[in-house]
Amino acid sequence: MNYESMISEKMKGVKASAIREIFKVAGKPDIISFAGGLPAPESFPVEAIKKICEDILTQEPVTALQYGISEGYAPLMEEIKKRLEEKFNIDMTANEMVIVSGSQQGADLLTKVLINEGDGVVCEEPSFIGCLNTFRTYKAELYGVPTNENGMDTDILEETLKKHKNIKMIYTIPTFQNPSGNTASLETRKKMLALAQKYNVIIMEDNPYGELRFTGEDVPTIKSLDKTGHVVYIGSFSKVFSPGLRLAYMVFDKGLAEKIVVGKQATDVHTNVFSQMIAARYLKEYDIDESIAKSRDIYKHRCELMLSCMDKCFPKSVTYTRPEGGIFIWVTLPEGTDTLSLMKEAVEKKVAFVPGNTFMTDIDKPCNSFRLNYSTMPDEKIIKGIEILGELLKSKFD
């Protein structure tokens, strides 16, 4: 059967994530992959999770295997609320929470609740492909605002908000941004919030990497500065606990609660109860901060090793970010380079990365940047992979 004529209008313009397509190549054992965004597998608390699962299925099997409520498993919500108040200074008395099946679902729910076809969403340029595709699915107009080492360019952000009256939402990953690795300054965060209030738009603050700082000083979340309900905050357990459990949480003003819960019910009724119980037990009975500290040590070492190798092997005409946390480095080549073509050459040499066009609002426009990930490859593969990339780049730019 030919399904082409049956595909909905909202899906026709949405292309498969290049990252997922690259995974099909990068998953081969002979490929050195800097393409993924996966946490280091050795950071998973496997033994603790084994014990917790056994305890749950012995002591509370019916709760674990039965339907749950749409908002989330109450003991997990309590643990998260305490953590958000103590570590992130987010006032949970003024906000509501829903547990979602990964931060991607949180982005989808908020977009479903707020965005009509033709409504505008401001995105960092570059930005996370998963959320860009979510916005495209709902037929939003995307407006890219360039970023630098201090985050989104707030002067251009204001010009964009002034010019386009259809904008309802600003999407940002202010801490260890995907794909750039940059962190927005406190001044940038305050200005973004002030602009959201001035132009009456919502900020979606996506923070999957915020606890993975391995150098420098923490910067307050935008949500912790928000006293007017203009910020919806999405946190995740994927990078600090386990991505396979598919657990994240949305924090938002009470005025949005009803529609977000209804949207959740229409999507999947509720998030996996067993996963929520595992996370609740872990937060209560184990030291997640100790576990996160181990992850930070792994990423610090691998980031410093990769940057050191890049300093030695890459041509001087190639620039790159130097993140203080997270799992990504953004590499920029001389103007006129198409990193999509370069990626195909790199894969022939058994190294994979993600070309920059994937992260842009105009995915078809050639881009002279690409993303490297350092979280999963062992030392010897980081060294070898960067040497191979360095030789490829020198053959073009030296």
Side-chain angles (χ1 to χ4, degrees), residues 167-240:
I167 293 171
K168 279 190 177 176
M169 187 162 69
I170 300 167
Y171 172 63
T172 180
I173 311 170
T175 307
F176 315 131
Q177 199 248 10
N178 180 3
S180 71
N182 286 329
T183 294
S185 66
L186 179 58
E187 181 184 358
T188 295
R189 294 171 193 232
K190 287 180 176 178
K191 184 71 185 291
M192 288 178 71
L193 179 57
L195 290 173
Q197 292 165 339
K198 179 178 178 180
Y199 292 93
N200 196 33
V201 299
I202 295 292
I203 293 175
M204 184 200 297
E205 181 179 13
D206 194 0
N207 191 26
Y209 316 104
E211 296 199 72
L212 298 178
R213 176 176 288 281
F214 45 71
T215 188
E217 297 296 323
D218 285 331
V219 185
T221 63
I222 306 174
K223 184 62 180 172
S224 68
L225 308 172
D226 176 34
K227 308 302 178 189
T228 56
H230 281 79
V231 181
V232 174
Y233 178 88
I234 303 177
S236 174
F237 287 107
S238 290
K239 301 301 187 292
V240 297

Side-chain angles (χ1 to χ4, degrees), residues 10 16 25 74 85 94 110 136 143 210 235 309 333 354:
K10 66 179 177 291
V25 175
E85 288 179 336
L110 186 61
R136 291 179 182 120
Y143 301 103
C309 292
L333 309 181
V354 185

Side-chain angles (χ1 to χ4, degrees), residues 24 109 130 256 366:
K24 295 173 186 176
L109 281 176
L256 282 171

Side-chain angles (χ1 to χ4, degrees), residues 35 89 96 135 181 216 238 316 341 349 356 390:
N89 197 32
E96 298 285 353
F135 307 143
S238 290
K316 298 302 178 191
S341 299
K349 297 178 182 294

Side-chain angles (χ1 to χ4, degrees), residues 327-344:
I327 58 176
F328 301 117
I329 296 170
W330 185 243
V331 182
T332 300
L333 309 181
E335 288 291 339
T337 310
D338 180 4
T339 54
L340 183 58
S341 299
L342 186 73
M343 182 269 292
K344 293 172 184 174

Side-chain angles (χ1 to χ4, degrees), residues 214 292-302:
F214 45 71
I292 292 170
K294 290 177 184 175
S295 297
R296 288 194 198 110
D297 289 343
I298 294 168
Y299 301 147
K300 183 177 193 292
H301 169 74
R302 289 179 179 168

Side-chain angles (χ1 to χ4, degrees), residues 223-288:
K223 184 62 180 172
S224 68
L225 308 172
D226 176 34
K227 308 302 178 189
T228 56
H230 281 79
V231 181
V232 174
Y233 178 88
I234 303 177
S236 174
F237 287 107
S238 290
K239 301 301 187 292
V240 297
F241 187 48
S242 162
L245 292 178
R246 305 309 302 134
L247 289 176
Y249 44 93
M250 296 177 70
V251 178
F252 44 84
D253 184 82
K254 294 176 186 294
L256 282 171
E258 180 187 355
K259 295 304 181 187
I260 286 177
V261 171
V262 170
K264 171 72 174 165
Q265 290 167 348
T267 299
D268 65 353
V269 183
H270 63 81
T271 297
N272 183 300
V273 177
F274 195 10
S275 290
Q276 293 185 76
M277 292 178 75
I278 293 168
R281 285 283 194 101
Y282 190 84
L283 288 171
K284 190 173 180 63
E285 298 172 11
Y286 293 83
D287 188 350
I288 194 170

